[in-house]
Amino acid sequence: MIDIRSDTVTRPTPGMLEAMMHADVGDDVFGEDATVNTLQRTAAERFGMEAALFCPSGTMTNQIGIKVHTQPGDEVICDEVSHVYLYEGGGIAFNSGASTRLMKGNRGRFTAQDVLDNVNHSEDAHFPHTRLVSIENTVNKGGGCCWDVSEIEQIRKACDAHGLALHLDGARLFNAIVARAEEPKRYGKLFDTISVCLSKGLGAPAGSLLLGPKALIAKAHRYRKVMGGGMRQAGYIAAAGAYALEHHVDRLKEDHAKAAAVAGELARCSYVESVLSAETNIVIFTLADAVDTQRFLQHLKNGDVHALSVGKQLIRFVFHLDVSPAQVDALIASLRKFRPS
Ligand SMILES: Cc1ncc(COP(=O)(O)O)c(C=O)c1O
């Protein structure tokens, strides 16, 4: 089976399983799990940030990240296609009681000017207090596109000018870092909090890290408990994350090459209307109007390829470490064979 529905479908590699089996564990709710403590410390150091908190999921690190910055009634500026807004069950309202001001960015990337144009005047009691800007890198719904760090720097300046915090949903931040040959510390300098997933392209079975200053991470620790995210011998999972950070970052470029090859092929398919340029491991494309999406997905399934529809005529392929080069060839062959009618 070629499973390109998401990069979350990977299974731990033998080396990762070995690392998990030998993890030095303790009760992490008591702060006694050596593997979790090491993962948190080394991840924070990698980004030049003070502290980190290991959580079960990216949804939790995003939601806690938003909660540590906001009070009920505050407003969060984010893009209309952002995961924190679209795919976290209304968590911003549910967990933080905050409202959202949605930007219409370019594939999920908005500008510093957009931020400046949407900050509410805090003295006017009619408006919610704008408190936080949240950006996503890479942008999932934007087809895995990357932000230009220079634009983020301008957004940071806009935030500083208006007393706003800046959060990064970096579920796939390492894809951006590898694609753009960037330094993690550059991100650490720009954001108040960063959420990084270990269970996407990095291949761990679960786990995300929230990075930030010590005081905010102490607050986050409390919210993790409140949300039921305190895990006990979590080191078995953290060991997988630590292994992924050590062994699976550089190889992300292989996934990017697979995505680029398939995107190139799709651009040549007559039944494809358009393909978003593949910057990292995600390919989003639009089928021509005459093509029945379900028929296309069924054609792929008949060749044991599992993909997802993410909107009208929109299909998403996500590449990861469990898709081999031979499977990419098989996928390309299947794309060539499809007849829309
Ligand atoms: C951009 C982005 N942020 C956050 C998440 C949430 O991660 P999790 O599934 O671990 O809750 C995802 C999941 O796919 C994602 O794509």
Side-chain angles (χ1 to χ4, degrees):
M1 167 167 166
I2 305 172
D3 196 345
I4 47 175
R5 290 171 301 162
S6 174
D7 48 8
T8 56
V9 299
T10 56
R11 308 288 160 87
T13 60
M16 185 179 277
L17 283 172
E18 190 71 13
M20 294 167 78
M21 294 272 288
H22 296 105
D24 181 5
V25 300
D27 190 328
D28 183 48
V29 172
F30 293 137
E32 291 170 1
D33 190 295
T35 308
V36 171
N37 291 340
T38 304
L39 172 67
Q40 291 175 162
R41 196 189 63 250
T42 53
E45 281 167 8
R46 197 159 172 165
F47 283 86
M49 296 181 96
E50 279 180 5
L53 185 70
F54 184 58
C55 292
S57 70
T59 300
M60 189 177 278
T61 42
N62 276 333
Q63 290 301 320
I64 294 176
I66 292 165
K67 187 145 184 75
V68 297
H69 295 298
T70 57
Q71 292 295 320
D74 286 349
E75 190 154 86
V76 179
I77 292 179
C78 60
D79 194 86
E80 62 179 358
V81 302
S82 60
H83 197 280
V84 292
Y85 169 68
L86 275 186
Y87 299 123
E88 297 187 6
I92 297 178
F94 188 89
N95 296 308
S96 298
S99 60
T100 40
R101 180 78 72 103
L102 300 177
M103 304 296 101
K104 286 186 186 299
N106 165 20
R107 296 172 65 177
R109 297 161 300 185
F110 47 89
T111 64
Q113 191 57 49
D114 291 330
V115 172
L116 293 170
D117 290 345
N118 284 280
V119 178
N120 290 330
H121 292 291
S122 54
E123 319 80 60
D124 188 330
H126 290 88
F127 301 118
H129 278 298
T130 312
R131 183 63 203 110
L132 173 69
V133 175
S134 176
I135 78 167
E136 184 175 316
N137 198 18
T138 66
V139 188
N140 181 347
K141 196 109 198 259
C145 62
C146 306
W147 283 67
D148 286 334
V149 177
S150 56
E151 190 63 50
I152 302 175
E153 282 164 354
Q154 295 309 311
I155 291 181
R156 175 76 260 176
K157 279 188 196 152
C159 288
D160 290 344
H162 291 275
L164 312 180
L166 185 58
H167 172 75
L168 173 60
D169 175 357
R172 296 183 181 79
L173 182 55
F174 279 105
N175 292 87
I177 284 173
V178 166
R180 298 274 176 120
E182 290 163 340
E183 271 300 311
K185 287 196 170 77
R186 198 157 172 214
Y187 285 92
K189 280 204 182 89
L190 290 172
F191 289 90
D192 297 289
T193 46
I194 301 180
S195 157
V196 181
C197 286
L198 305 165
S199 61
K200 307 282 179 315
L202 295 181
S208 292
L209 288 155
L210 182 68
L211 309 158
K214 268 189 193 147
L216 284 184
I217 295 301
K219 219 171 150 185
H221 189 266
R222 168 168 285 270
Y223 289 139
R224 185 185 69 176
K225 189 77 188 105
V226 173
M227 291 180 181
M231 299 181 285
R232 300 295 176 171
Q233 286 71 38
Y236 290 116
I237 309 172
Y243 183 92
L245 284 174
E246 200 179 329
H247 299 278
H248 291 172
V249 172
D250 286 343
R251 65 149 308 285
L252 289 172
K253 54 171 100 73
E254 296 169 27
D255 300 336
H256 301 173
K258 293 171 210 166
V262 172
E265 183 60 34
L266 285 164
R268 288 188 285 276
C269 292
S270 57
Y271 56 84
V272 171
E273 169 96 22
S274 58
V275 189
L276 291 180
S277 66
E279 294 184 29
T280 56
N281 66 328
I282 301 179
V283 182
I284 291 186
F285 58 99
T286 307
L287 292 170
D289 275 346
V291 181
D292 180 335
T293 306
Q294 287 316 315
R295 202 166 159 270
F296 175 72
L297 289 174
Q298 190 56 49
H299 164 82
L300 292 180
K301 229 181 212 169
N302 295 343
D304 234 1
V305 177
H306 296 251
L308 275 187
S309 161
V310 290
K312 189 176 161 356
Q313 302 302 105
L314 270 189
I315 306 288
R316 188 183 76 169
F317 292 167
V318 189
F319 294 89
H320 49 76
L321 79 176
D322 282 352
V323 180
S324 68
Q327 288 180 323
V328 172
D329 292 343
L331 167 61
I332 288 177
S334 175
L335 292 172
R336 286 183 185 159
K337 268 196 225 138
F338 179 65
R339 298 287 170 267
S341 56

